[in-house]
Amino acid sequence: MRSSGSLLVDNIGELVTNAPGAEGDPLGLRRDAALLIEDGEVAWIGPARYAPAADRRIDADGAAVLPGFVDSHAHLVFAGDRAAEFAARMSGEPYTGGGIRTTVGATRAASDDELRATVGRLRGEAMRQGTTTIEIKSGYGLTVADETRSLRIAAEFTEDTTFLGAHVVPAEYADRPDDYVGLVCGPMLAAAAPYARWIDVFCERGAFDVDHARAILACGQAVGLGVRVHANQLGPGPGVQLGVELGAASVDHCTHLSDADVDALAGSATVATLLPGAEFSTRSPYPDARRLLDAGVTVALATDCNPGSSYTSSMPFCIALAVREMRMTPAEAVWAATAGGAAALRRTDVGRLARGARADLIILDAPSHLHLAYRPGVPLIRQVLHNGVPQCRP
């Protein structure tokens, strides 16, 4: 739903636009600003003293205003709970990705209404924490019917849906991985593609090797789906360079990178999407964001919200982790969580505040974006506007 009439957000102490600013200012900061919304889009930005008249007004009371967060990697269509697995990891057991099959069983057994309720709950949770754009993957069905219904349900909540039939090889195909790849490339893709914008593969040991991953992604491209890749999470591997080779919008995780991987990313339009919630929840090494940024790679941050390895929907939490654990500056982390996420989804209408952009924005209960990392764990999202429409306050 888009707003009707005009709405002025006034008395903004600090406005993050993500428009190119002065050197050293990736956020395009404006002080003492105002912003006019018409028909769900930003119509005007300027000094508060020159603010035009509007039908309605929101007084930011000197607070910071940012573009809504863009979460470009989330797994929200699932059933069941893996809290016991988390507890085991916290007791010293390593993360291997094997628990995905536990969620597959629970998801297959769940009704459409149960799955829809989970997605709705998590989508609302994310919105209350400032996420106005979210990507949602399938990947916990792994049958033609279950992958299709997962995407159909996801499409009720977002336009950025991703077919992840190649999450892992399900138990019934454990001894026949080639047959499963054939299923993914054939009947499963044909049924799922009408509900998907993207195709993704978990290119990792214990999941899909590079030849299977390439075949699956090429099939998706052939029917018009954009490419995303889970890559280099559990160890070094070919996933990042495969993604660059195929022109992927994003390669995600990027925890274990060689110099050649970094060079490939730096020389491409592929975004490196980092998911610090996964490292936090698995006690794994964090990606070296500083190395990527210094090489000129475009970096995004996302939650990887899923029931096994990163059960968080909080982009502010991921920003704080990125600053503390991945050597990003607060400005770099905020940019990665907004404009970076938009780049990972190849969207130009979100992740920024400028004339013609979608009026997705958040008002902080703080004077500066710095507080998102400075005050970790504190509920700083005062208000969220999506398409110019105020949402429920946290």
Side-chain angles (χ1 to χ4, degrees), residues 74-297:
H75 306 254
L76 305 189
V77 190
F78 66 85
D81 180 276
R82 284 159 61 187
E85 178 187 321
F86 173 78
R89 285 200 304 273
M90 296 305 103
S91 298
E93 291 189 14
Y95 175 70
T96 64
I100 292 170
R101 292 185 178 88
T102 302
T103 301
V104 169
T107 302
R108 289 177 176 179
S111 69
D112 286 10
D113 286 344
E114 288 170 328
L115 295 177
R116 185 175 292 109
T118 296
V119 179
R121 173 177 60 83
L122 292 170
R123 181 66 191 96
E125 193 177 273
M127 181 75 79
R128 291 191 297 273
Q129 296 174 92
T131 297
T132 51
T133 300
I134 195 166
E135 180 259 18
I136 302 176
K137 303 178 190 295
S138 65
Y140 291 124
L142 309 188
T143 67
V144 172
D146 287 307
E147 285 296 295
T148 303
R149 71 167 177 151
S150 293
L151 286 164
R152 177 171 46 79
I153 290 168
E156 297 174 16
F157 296 89
T158 183
E159 59 197 278
D160 279 295
T161 53
T162 298
F163 170 47
L164 185 56
H167 201 180
V168 293
V169 176
E172 63 269 27
Y173 282 90
D175 298 325
R176 298 178 293 134
D178 289 346
D179 290 347
Y180 184 67
V181 171
L183 177 69
V184 172
C185 289
M188 193 182 289
L189 175 61
Y195 302 100
R197 183 184 176 207
W198 304 97
I199 188 168
D200 196 347
V201 173
F202 190 22
C203 183
E204 199 75 61
R205 66 175 187 268
F208 294 87
D209 66 26
V210 67
D211 293 330
H212 283 160
R214 180 182 285 107
I216 291 165
L217 295 171
C219 288
Q221 284 183 309
V223 299
L225 300 184
V227 170
R228 323 185 71 74
V229 186
H230 282 62
N232 298 59
Q233 177 189 8
L234 303 180
V240 165
Q241 294 193 49
L242 174 65
V244 172
E245 172 194 326
L246 296 179
S250 179
V251 291
D252 299 18
H253 287 290
C254 297
T255 310
H256 300 274
L257 300 181
S258 67
D259 289 345
D261 295 329
V262 175
D263 289 345
L265 287 166
S268 76
T270 298
V271 175
T273 298
L274 309 184
L275 311 169
E279 280 72 42
F280 177 88
S281 297
T282 60
R283 282 189 174 160
S284 299
Y286 285 88
D288 189 347
R290 183 79 270 136
R291 179 185 180 201
L292 289 164
L293 290 164
D294 289 348
V297 177

